[in-house]
Amino acid sequence: MAVMSESPRPRPVTELSADEARRIALRAQGLLGAPDRRGGVRGVLRHLGAVQLDTISVLARSHELVPYARLGAVGRKAVEPAYWGRDRDGRPHSFEYWSHAACVLPVEEWPHFAFRRRAYRSRPHWNHDLPQGSYEQVIEQLRTEGPLTATELGGAKRTSEWWDWSASKVAVERALMYGEVVCVERRGWKRVYDLAERAVPGDLLHDDLDDTECVRRLVAQAGRALGVGTRSDIADYHRLRGDQVDAVIEGSGLVPVAVEGWGGRPAWADPKALAAAPRGRHRTTLLSPFDSLIWERARTERIFGFTHRLEAYVPRPKRVYGYFAMPVLAGGRLVARVDPARSGRTLVARQVTLESRRAVPDVARALAEAASWVDCSDVRVERMDPPELRDALVAELAALTA
C-alpha cells in the first residue's frame, strides 16, 4: 500500500484588531514608548533603516525633523555630524543612495543595495548626454584630489535650471548610481563625492549578495521598521516591486497576520512586534511630510483614516492644506495639519486644519515645542479651520509660551 505523505499544514495566522495594528506600527517607527536617547540620531537611523532627504526647509530639513519627532528637542547642531560623521577608526556612519527616495542609510546596508547598483549598470536610463571621456575624468579627479563636491569637480549646473547639469555632475551622479562613487558626507547641503573603494569600509565593500538575498534582507528590514504591513506597504519602503517581495517573503522571517479593517489584504508582521503588546507614552509632535510613518498614502489612510498629500508642488490656488502641511501626531493618531513658516524668531502657522475640535491642546503643544526647538520665541496663527477655534488655540499657545 502506498503511503501518502501529509500535506504541510498552513501556518497559523495571527489576527490583529485595527487598533493593535496601529499601535504596533507606531512602536515600530519609534513613536510609541520611551525614546532611545542613548542611541540618538544614529540610533533612529539604524532603527528606521532609511531617512528621506529633501531640499525643502521650512522649520528644518526633513532629515532633521525625523529624529526630532522621535527624540524631542535633539540639538540641531548634532544632527548633521550624527548622519555624516565618522567613528574613531574613520568609519562613516552612513551613505546616501536611492531607497524609498533619496535617503540617508546606515553604512551597514551598503551590501544590500548591490541588486540596485547592478540594475543601474545593466539598464541605465539617462536624460543627459555625456561627452566621451567625462566619466573617466571624474573618477580620476576624485582618485587624485580626494573627496569633492560637484562644484569642485567642475560645476553642478550650466544654467540656473535644475535639470541643466554640467557634464561632470552627470558623470559623478552616474558613478554614484553604479556604486563606483559614494556620498558619505554633505557640506552645506552639497553632496561630497568620494570613491567607494576609499570611503566604504572594507568589510562592506562588496556586491557578493545576489539579487534575491539583497531583496530578502531589505524586506525583513522594512517589516521590522513597519511592524506590520501589506505586500504594497513592505514593497514601498525601499521601492521594491511586488513580485520581488513575493519571491522572498516566506524566507524573510516575517509572519502572516490578518488585520481587522484592512479589507482582507494579506499582511505580515515582525514576530518581535507581536511578542508584547505595544505600551508606553505617545509622542505629540509635528511630522515631516516625508516621515516614514506616512510614506505610503494608502497605508496612512488605512491605519489612521487620514489623507496625506504634500502640496508643495500643487499650484497655490489648488492647495487645500498648505505648501508644507505637517501632520500633527498626538495620542497615537493624526489629529491635524499645520502649514508652518518662519518670520524672524516667530513660528508662523499659516494654516491649521483640525480633524477634531478636541485636538486644539495637542496642536498648541506641538507648535510650542517646535517653536522652542527652532529657537523661535513665539507662535502666530494666521488661518484656522474651523475659524471659530482660532482664539482657543491662541489662548492655549499663550499659556504654554508664557
Side-chain angles (χ1 to χ4, degrees):
M1 179 183 295
V3 178
M4 301 294 292
S5 61
E6 294 185 5
S7 59
R9 295 181 180 180
R11 298 172 69 182
V13 175
T14 301
E15 296 184 358
L16 299 172
S17 68
D19 186 65
E20 286 172 328
R22 177 181 57 82
R23 290 169 65 84
I24 286 171
L26 286 164
R27 184 176 63 181
Q29 281 284 300
L31 292 161
L32 172 61
D36 179 12
R37 298 193 186 281
R38 289 182 300 176
V41 175
R42 288 199 296 276
V44 170
L45 175 61
R46 286 192 298 270
H47 185 76
L48 297 178
V51 172
Q52 187 170 346
L53 297 161
D54 194 81
T55 58
I56 297 174
S57 180
V58 180
L59 291 183
R61 293 197 189 274
S62 186
H63 67 289
E64 297 176 280
L65 292 165
V66 168
Y68 164 72
R70 288 150 178 83
L71 302 174
V74 57
R76 292 185 65 192
K77 291 183 179 179
V79 173
E80 295 296 324
Y83 285 130
W84 306 118
R86 296 172 181 262
D87 62 20
R88 293 177 180 176
D89 298 326
R91 188 183 181 96
H93 298 146
S94 64
F95 72 106
E96 183 180 331
Y97 202 59
W98 295 100
S99 166
H100 179 82
C103 289
V104 55
L105 305 161
V107 72
E108 292 78 14
E109 290 189 14
W110 173 270
H112 305 168
F113 285 86
F115 83 104
R116 189 154 286 165
R117 294 190 291 270
R118 283 191 287 264
Y120 284 137
R121 294 171 201 150
S122 63
R123 296 185 300 275
H125 299 284
W126 300 96
N127 296 319
H128 303 82
D129 292 328
L130 189 60
Q132 187 173 1
S134 297
Y135 185 97
E136 294 77 11
Q137 180 179 337
V138 162
I139 297 301
E140 183 58 29
Q141 190 173 352
L142 289 172
R143 190 177 306 281
T144 58
E145 298 181 29
L148 299 170
T149 65
T151 301
E152 292 166 338
L153 280 165
K157 300 178 182 179
R158 289 187 290 257
T159 71
S160 61
E161 300 296 337
W162 68 267
W163 46 264
D164 196 15
W165 286 357
S166 67
S168 60
K169 174 65 172 177
V170 175
V172 78
E173 286 293 325
R174 189 175 298 190
L176 184 80
M177 297 172 79
Y178 291 175
E180 192 168 359
V181 161
V182 66
C183 172
V184 296
E185 178 189 0
R186 279 187 177 243
R187 298 179 195 152
W189 194 240
K190 292 183 178 180
R191 283 176 177 163
V192 179
Y193 302 93
D194 198 1
L195 298 180
E197 64 191 46
R198 187 163 55 204
V200 177
D203 59 319
L204 301 174
L205 185 64
H206 63 80
D207 283 1
D208 295 347
L209 303 181
D210 63 25
D211 288 9
T212 298
E213 182 61 15
C214 288
V215 172
R216 186 192 67 78
R217 295 191 186 194
L218 290 177
V219 164
Q221 189 282 318
R224 291 192 298 271
L226 293 170
V228 58
T230 64
R231 170 185 186 256
S232 62
D233 297 341
I234 293 167
D236 181 73
Y237 205 81
H238 292 295
R239 293 287 201 241
L240 304 171
R241 298 193 313 270
D243 63 297
Q244 290 176 310
V245 174
D246 292 341
V248 302
I249 193 73
E250 288 294 331
S252 67
L254 304 179
V255 297
V257 294
V259 182
E260 173 194 17
W262 283 22
R265 296 178 182 86
W268 288 266
D270 174 15
K272 291 184 179 179
L274 303 177
R279 294 187 178 88
R281 184 179 179 182
H282 287 285
R283 281 284 292 148
T284 298
T285 187
L286 298 176
L287 291 175
S288 163
F290 304 107
D291 194 291
S292 52
L293 179 71
I294 51 175
W295 266 346
E296 218 276 318
R297 188 185 306 178
R299 175 180 171 84
T300 303
E301 293 178 356
R302 191 186 329 120
I303 293 179
F304 297 104
F306 185 93
T307 301
H308 166 62
R309 181 188 182 193
L310 177 69
E311 296 182 334
Y313 308 108
V314 174
R316 186 189 298 269
K318 294 185 178 181
R319 291 176 191 156
V320 177
Y321 302 113
Y323 173 80
F324 197 72
M326 300 178 68
V328 180
L329 179 69
R333 301 185 184 277
L334 300 176
V335 300
R337 299 170 179 83
V338 172
D339 183 32
R342 293 180 66 177
S343 178
R345 294 193 63 206
T346 297
L347 192 162
V348 181
R350 294 188 292 191
Q351 180 173 331
V352 177
T353 309
L354 302 181
E355 292 288 290
S356 165
R357 292 170 177 261
R358 296 189 301 273
V360 168
D362 295 321
V363 173
R365 180 180 164 194
L367 281 169
E369 289 188 359
S372 175
W373 179 55
V374 297
D375 197 29
C376 285
S377 56
D378 66 334
V379 180
R380 183 173 78 242
V381 180
E382 292 187 342
R383 295 189 303 278
M384 186 87 173
D385 183 14
E388 64 270 19
L389 293 180
R390 182 180 180 278
D391 289 347
L393 178 59
V394 170
E396 290 277 356
L397 283 165
L400 290 168
T401 57

